[in-house]
Amino acid sequence: MIQPLAITGRSCVSALGDGRAALRTALRTARSGLRRCTLAGATAGTWTGTVEGLEDQPLAGELAAFDCRNNRLVLRGLDADGFAGTAQAAVARYGADRVGVILGTSTSGVGQAENAYQRRDETGALPADFDFAHTHDLISLVDVVRHVTGARGPSYTISTACSSSAKAFVDGAQLLAAGLCDAVIVGGVDTLCLTSLQGFNSLQLLSPSPCRPMDANRDGISIGEAAAFALLEATAGSLLLAGYGESADGYHMSSPHPEGQGAQLAMRAALKRAGLDAAAIDYVNMHGTGSQSNDRAEDIATTTVFGTSVACSATKGWTGHTLGAAGAVEAIIALEALEHGFIPGTLNLEVADPAFTSRIITSTEERPLRAVMSNNFGFGGNNASLIFTRGQS
Amino acid sequence: MIAARILGLGVIGPGLPDWPAARAVLRGEVPWRETPVDLTPPEILSARERRRTSPVVRLALGVAEAARRDSGIAAQDLAVTFASSIGDGGILSAILETLATDEKLVSPTHFHNSVHNAAAGYWGIGQHSQRPTTSLAAGDFTAAAALTKSLMQCATDDGPVLMAAFDCPLPPPMDVARPIAASLGIAMVLAPPDDDRHGPLIRLVGMAQNAPPPPPSALVPMIEGTPAGHLLPLLGVLARQETMTLALPSAPGRSLCLEVTW
């Protein structure tokens, strides 16, 4: 892959608050963003990571047609950490056609369709105010970002469930390597909706308590919402995307390979592309959802590749599983760890699964890091592994 | 230089049951007749999985496998780009109907199959392949996005890529909110330009210097009314073995410009 490839801007908005400083504080003070779910219509008894205030922030003016919960969160993400300004500066520097936008999402603005179905008329027709193209369509979040930043380069949405926004980093790297862009806005946005909550509930994958990744008594996931963005440029910088790896599980539609074979392939491919041995990785941010079978498969896959000494943790106890945004959120967490020198712990872990052999860090540790891996494994689907390193500024 | 050799093609659409039939229509040898799209359950899946596949999955796997077979390349040697603006509209609509009831008891099978990358998941399982796949969407411009992704991946990975763009119309009442004129899938296998296998070369260029002759008028609704339809003019150039540049809409007011040479 092209070297160097720097992350020259980034932002994150989640249940932990707006901006990376809030994220770091929460990670260092073991303060979870999970609360009892209050989404109207959702089956009671689950915990979610909600972003405060979206109900009161409709999009207006030129963006009014895009108004929906997901696009409101897009805007919050662009406003955080000065990201919109950073992206606009790249557009001014390189030209609009040379800045691409690749984002991940699982449900985009489906909430508008959910609402429209509840307002069907006596013939079954949807209300005239339902604007699919600007809200529900998978591309709408990309269109909002293009609108706000002025970027007009290659742009699309990747929707591969849990790996979506990690794969956005991969495609961003490919656009730069191919010379099709000079900068790429990558990231992901997903919001709470009945489709996800009722859907995961029907699969009996939701925990009745805050999720407990890697815990012996883990009993399901907690869904979260988030927006996370990064700007990638083929320049030197202090934080680099050193490598990436991808695979498909190719095993079974709903359960992981017991040893996480696909996950192993993705991790090894990332190490190879980065030109690094496993021993060079100081910290692995696991996908770690709190699901019985997925966490087990991931533990085996991780120790098969790394052995039992690399520090690992799973951070979804803080943000919840942000689905299409998870890859980008957890990449941002990995980058915060790398830049500020700390390893986040694993929230809500009381008793580690005795069968596990990964070295799972439970409380946040301060330690300088040189290379960090962030993994997102869509068991039954697509796997993505990203490696970030420190570079010269 | 972003370029690739086209080693295989697949088409499934109304009156275009496969690439040889589509080629004859695009060459003007036979008139287009609106025969219904035949979405046979995909052979690559087990009998039980096959039975449960939705029209979109059948379209995706059918057209992808047709292009793969045409190329002669094993699935394990192909990275994959699946591109659909909607994904599974039938399942999506069923879920939305359920969510509008008091009980909101979503079918687990429906939710499981509603992910945008379900078709790609079935491809990997049916083909016993762990090669990476991407499932992307770009609204009306999904075809150009698919081609951009596939061309660049061919270059950065230095290996062949299977690309399939497909959409089926949504059932009512969503059909009014997002019209799709017909079920249409178009797939191609792209390989790095120095691949020794024989095939036309497509290259991204700065501007389209000329334009292909207009397609048969009967195909215009499909070209303009389905995201994958944007690829039909390119297929026309390939069918007639023309050396040509052409534009593929990639964003409002913008196009990908492609040069085809032999």
Side-chain angles (χ1 to χ4, degrees):
Chain A
M1 61 180 271
I2 201 170
Q3 301 275 4
L5 204 163
I7 294 93
T8 55
R10 61 211 137 102
S11 72
C12 186
V13 174
S14 70
L16 303 176
D18 291 47
R20 289 158 21 225
L23 174 67
R24 277 196 307 280
T25 300
L27 292 171
R28 281 168 152 156
T29 59
R31 184 173 58 78
S32 173
L34 298 178
R35 304 282 182 274
R36 290 189 190 281
C37 178
T38 55
L39 191 77
T43 300
T46 67
W47 290 63
T48 50
T50 305
V51 172
E52 295 298 314
L54 289 172
E55 297 75 17
D56 307 318
Q57 294 164 341
L59 300 185
E62 287 179 358
L63 294 176
F66 291 101
D67 188 40
C68 63
R69 188 177 183 89
N70 211 59
N71 289 337
R72 294 178 187 189
L73 185 49
V74 171
L75 221 55
R76 286 274 288 272
L78 292 173
D79 285 343
D81 298 310
F83 189 83
T86 303
Q88 287 157 357
V91 168
R93 183 162 62 249
Y94 294 121
D97 287 330
R98 300 292 301 172
V99 181
V101 182
I102 309 291
L103 301 179
T105 190
S106 67
T107 46
S108 187
V110 74
Q112 296 302 102
E114 291 169 4
N115 181 270
Y117 264 69
Q118 285 156 14
R119 293 184 294 126
R120 284 171 292 177
D121 68 20
E122 62 279 0
T123 71
L126 296 169
D129 60 15
F130 173 52
D131 183 343
F132 178 91
H134 286 98
T135 61
H136 184 181
D137 197 314
L138 286 168
I139 199 60
S140 83
L141 62 162
V142 167
D143 286 340
V144 172
V145 172
R146 283 163 64 92
H147 211 93
V148 170
T149 64
R152 292 291 181 270
S155 304
Y156 48 85
T157 292
I158 295 177
S159 190
T160 58
C162 314
S163 58
S164 300
S165 49
K167 287 168 73 68
F169 279 76
V170 174
D171 283 38
Q174 290 178 346
L175 280 166
L176 294 169
L180 289 172
C181 291
D182 295 313
V184 188
I185 299 164
V186 302
V189 185
D190 248 332
T191 36
L192 297 179
C193 57
L194 293 176
T195 301
S196 295
L197 284 162
Q198 299 304 109
F200 278 102
N201 197 40
S202 76
L203 290 170
Q204 299 183 304
L205 286 175
L206 294 182
S207 171
S209 351
C211 67
R212 309 162 68 165
M214 317 318 277
D215 190 286
N217 299 307
R218 63 192 183 277
D219 57 5
I221 75 175
S222 301
I223 296 178
E225 54 188 5
F229 294 110
L231 186 68
L232 301 183
E233 292 183 61
T235 57
S238 56
L239 295 172
L240 306 176
L241 175 62
Y244 63 81
E246 300 185 290
S247 71
D249 254 19
Y251 180 71
H252 193 277
M253 277 309 272
S254 55
S255 49
H257 184 279
E259 280 132 37
Q261 212 178 59
Q264 290 180 39
L265 281 175
M267 288 189 275
R268 291 195 200 281
L271 288 167
K272 183 171 178 204
R273 208 178 242 108
L276 293 173
D277 290 332
I281 302 298
D282 293 323
Y283 165 53
V284 176
N285 182 286
M286 304 174 100
H287 186 52
T289 61
S291 133
Q292 269 291 326
S293 55
N294 291 3
D295 286 2
R296 175 180 318 282
E298 179 169 12
D299 174 74
I300 295 172
T302 305
T303 54
T304 304
V305 174
F306 286 100
T308 56
S309 59
V310 73
C312 303
S313 73
T315 50
K316 287 182 169 69
W318 269 282
T319 55
H321 188 346
T322 55
L323 304 179
V329 166
E330 288 151 30
I332 302 297
I333 289 175
L335 287 162
E336 290 303 299
L338 192 59
E339 181 175 55
H340 294 273
F342 68 96
I343 294 178
T346 303
L347 263 196
N348 307 329
L349 183 72
E350 288 174 20
V351 178
D353 189 320
F356 284 9
T357 50
S358 303
R359 184 163 78 91
I360 297 180
I361 307 301
T362 52
S363 306
T364 298
E365 297 178 4
E366 303 291 318
R367 174 148 26 115
L369 305 171
R370 298 152 306 160
V372 174
M373 173 181 277
S374 180
N375 290 325
N376 291 93
F377 300 138
F379 290 111
N382 296 91
N383 307 302
S385 180
L386 303 174
I387 295 177
F388 299 105
T389 56
R390 302 187 65 169
Q392 267 64 48
S393 300
Chain B
M1 176 178 85
I2 303 299
R5 205 160 289 287
I6 300 178
L7 298 184
L9 286 164
V11 182
I12 297 177
L16 306 171
D18 55 32
W19 166 235
R23 187 170 49 208
V25 169
L26 290 165
R27 291 168 67 91
E29 289 163 1
V30 301
W32 178 79
R33 285 178 332 120
E34 184 164 11
T35 58
V37 180
D38 174 24
L39 294 175
T40 54
E43 303 157 353
I44 63 172
L45 293 177
S46 72
R48 204 192 72 198
E49 281 163 342
R50 207 181 294 165
R51 264 199 307 275
R52 294 164 163 202
T53 49
S54 64
V56 161
V57 170
R58 295 177 181 194
L59 179 62
L61 295 188
V63 79
E65 174 60 9
R68 187 207 68 74
R69 204 178 297 131
D70 192 36
S71 75
I73 299 179
Q76 290 77 8
D77 294 332
L78 291 166
V80 172
T81 302
F82 274 13
S84 175
S85 73
I86 307 266
D88 203 316
I91 289 185
L92 173 71
S93 297
I95 291 177
L96 289 167
E97 301 235 349
T98 303
L99 291 175
T101 65
D102 288 335
E103 300 78 24
K104 299 183 170 45
L105 289 173
V106 172
S107 145
T109 310
H110 275 167
F111 182 64
H112 188 68
N113 284 309
S114 71
V115 288
H116 198 65
N117 59 319
Y122 280 115
W123 171 269
I125 288 163
Q127 298 285 19
H128 308 290
S129 173
Q130 293 173 308
R131 294 300 304 278
T133 69
T134 285
S135 298
L136 61 86
D140 287 336
F141 305 106
T142 295
L147 204 49
T148 298
K149 162 65 176 178
S150 304
L151 285 169
M152 79 178 176
Q153 182 154 9
C154 206
T156 59
D157 286 4
D158 196 24
V161 178
L162 166 61
M163 178 196 102
F166 52 89
D167 268 297
C168 291
L170 287 155
M174 286 286 269
D175 56 344
V176 173
R178 188 2 174 184
I180 303 263
S183 293
L184 177 65
I186 294 177
M188 51 185 78
V189 172
L190 303 172
D194 56 6
D195 192 293
D196 341 314
R197 287 167 283 210
H198 193 65
L201 193 73
I202 54 170
R203 191 164 71 95
L204 280 184
V205 294
M207 278 181 45
Q209 303 290 353
N210 43 23
S217 58
L219 292 182
V220 169
M222 223 187 301
I223 291 171
E224 294 179 353
T226 70
H230 284 166
L231 293 168
L232 281 171
L234 170 60
L235 259 51
V237 170
L238 296 173
R240 296 182 301 270
Q241 299 189 297
E242 290 162 339
T243 295
M244 178 79 58
T245 60
L246 72 161
L248 189 71
S250 61
R254 276 173 167 75
S255 298
L256 273 191
C257 295
L258 300 165
E259 174 196 70
V260 180
T261 54
W262 299 80

